């Protein structure tokens, strides 16, 4: 029976980073992912360009977190945007900083980011296995084995669940991580959508496919401004999408009646 110090469930950005750093400490590491291609969601993020981080100070970064920013403070302080940039540049991935201090791979290809992480993990001696983790077994309250595809088992001292939540089921984020964590006794916070396109009640369908750059999107509720940003957006057959709209959606999660939201676009 195979035995590892650390087993990471999920071969996305978080899982690969965890595996790289665990292996760097001299630990024997296994990454288990159900997809044939690792980091599947990472490869399509940022319109396929991958916005790695923002080149700014911690306080500025934290000021853009919509809710419960204190939760992230220790993580961002321990691994700052500058350290993130240094990490990837150390993997020979050239970076560029664009408008809004957004950091991208120089070639504008998210696949370069994914492959840099995979290569780094392999160079550190990380092992990879395709499969679905169906159970994490305990003995006397201590971690014992991981069951894969309901038949194979591996022994492990520690497990990192990095399965990607429910954010994008087509990439493999189908929520099984929540099931595994709940079986182990963790409390699961109810999930809800965020960073999503918006369905509108106007005639937006007539503008389907129209993409706007350097425009200002303003949203109001009861004549009170709840969002105002400059950037890019897109008209769809059902409403609005694009970076500005996805950011706006994060401001709407606690508003019960979205039919009263009015949005205005300043074209120039």
């Amino acid at each position: 029976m195979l035995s590892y110090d650390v087993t990471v469930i999920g071969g996305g950005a978080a899982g690969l980073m965890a595996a790289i750093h665990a292996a760097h400490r001299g630990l024997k590491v296994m990454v288990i992912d159900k997809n044939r291609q690792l980091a599947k969601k990472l490869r399509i993020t940022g319109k396929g360009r991958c916005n790695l981080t923002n080149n700014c100070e911690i306080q500025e970064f934290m000021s853009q977190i919509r809710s419960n920013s204190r939760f992230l403070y220790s993580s961002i302080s321990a691994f700052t945007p500058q350290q993130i940039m240094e990490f990837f540049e150390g993997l020979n991935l050239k970076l560029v900083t664009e408008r809004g201090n957004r950091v991208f791979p120089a070639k504008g290809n998210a696949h370069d980011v994914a492959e840099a992480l995979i290569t780094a993990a392999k160079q550190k001696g990380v092992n990879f296995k395709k499969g679905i983790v169906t159970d994490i077994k305990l003995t006397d309250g201590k971690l014992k084995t991981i069951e894969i595809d309901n038949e194979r088992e591996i022994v492990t001292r520690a497990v990192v669940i990095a399965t990607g939540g429910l954010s994008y089921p087509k990439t493999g984020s189908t929520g099984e991580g929540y099931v595994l964590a709940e079986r182990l006794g963790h409390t699961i916070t109810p999930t809800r959508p965020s960073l999503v396109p918006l369905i509108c009640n106007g005639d937006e369908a007539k503008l389907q496919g129209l993409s706007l750059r350097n425009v200002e999107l303003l949203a109001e509720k009861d004549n009170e401004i709840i969002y105002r940003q400059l950037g890019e957006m897109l008209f769809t057959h059902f409403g609005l999408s694009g970076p500005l709209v996805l950011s706006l959606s994060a401001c709407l999660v606690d508003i019960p009646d979205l039919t009263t939201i009015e949005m205005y676009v300043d074209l120039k």
Side-chain angles (χ1 to χ4, degrees):
M1 186 177 293
L2 297 174
S3 178
Y4 295 91
D5 296 311
V6 178
T7 300
V8 181
I9 306 173
L16 289 170
M17 286 291 282
I20 289 168
H21 283 82
H24 181 70
R25 295 172 58 189
L27 301 174
K28 188 177 180 182
V29 183
M30 165 67 79
V31 173
I32 302 172
D33 195 275
K34 63 183 179 182
N35 292 324
R36 291 187 180 278
Q37 185 182 48
L38 293 169
K40 196 171 182 180
K41 185 160 71 247
L42 179 63
R43 297 173 188 273
I44 61 173
T45 189
K47 296 182 180 178
R49 298 184 62 219
C50 189
N51 181 191
L52 282 168
T53 185
N54 278 49
N55 189 1
C56 62
E57 297 302 317
I58 293 175
Q59 293 304 325
E60 183 181 352
F61 190 100
M62 298 300 294
S63 70
Q64 301 301 310
I65 306 300
R66 297 296 178 184
S67 62
N68 197 18
S69 61
R70 291 179 61 187
F71 174 78
L72 281 175
Y73 191 81
S74 61
S75 297
I76 297 300
S77 298
F79 198 38
T80 66
Q82 288 69 36
Q83 288 174 312
I84 291 173
M85 294 170 66
E86 290 172 4
F87 171 80
F88 280 102
E89 287 170 342
L91 302 183
N92 295 319
L93 182 69
K94 293 183 178 180
L95 306 176
V96 293
T97 300
E98 299 185 0
R99 180 178 51 80
N101 292 323
R102 296 174 300 164
V103 178
F104 292 91
K107 293 183 179 180
N109 192 335
H111 290 284
D112 292 343
V113 181
E115 293 303 323
L117 288 172
I118 294 168
T119 299
K122 289 179 178 178
Q123 289 175 343
K124 294 289 185 183
V126 174
N127 297 275
F128 293 90
K129 182 180 291 293
K130 182 181 179 299
I132 298 174
V133 174
T134 51
D135 199 11
I136 299 174
K137 296 182 177 180
L138 307 179
T139 300
D140 297 327
K142 295 183 179 181
L143 183 62
K144 189 65 176 176
T145 62
I146 290 180
E147 186 176 81
I148 305 174
D149 299 330
N150 292 316
E151 51 183 37
R152 294 172 290 170
E153 286 189 351
I154 63 173
V155 177
T156 186
R157 290 171 48 204
V159 172
V160 176
I161 299 177
T163 53
L166 279 166
S167 55
Y168 207 137
K170 288 184 178 180
T171 64
S173 299
T174 53
E176 64 265 28
Y178 296 134
V179 176
L180 293 171
E182 192 167 29
R183 284 182 193 166
L184 295 172
H186 291 282
T187 299
I188 306 301
T189 301
T191 59
R192 56 186 177 181
S194 182
L195 299 182
V196 294
L198 300 177
I199 298 173
C200 301
N201 296 324
D203 295 327
E204 290 78 13
K206 295 179 181 179
L207 298 174
Q208 176 181 351
L210 177 62
S211 179
L212 302 177
R213 300 183 65 183
N214 300 322
V215 299
E216 183 180 73
L217 178 64
L218 181 147
E220 290 185 349
K221 179 176 174 59
D222 301 328
N223 296 318
E224 179 181 349
I225 295 176
I226 59 175
Y227 178 86
R228 189 173 199 162
Q229 291 290 338
L230 180 74
E232 303 172 11
M233 60 175 290
L234 171 71
F235 287 91
T236 71
H237 64 285
F238 57 78
L240 301 174
S241 188
L244 279 178
V245 177
L246 297 180
S247 296
L248 166 61
S249 70
C251 300
L252 305 179
V253 293
D254 293 319
I255 298 177
D257 183 11
L258 296 182
T259 62
T260 61
I261 303 294
E262 294 184 348
M263 289 179 284
Y264 302 88
V265 181
D266 185 345
L267 294 173
K268 289 295 177 187

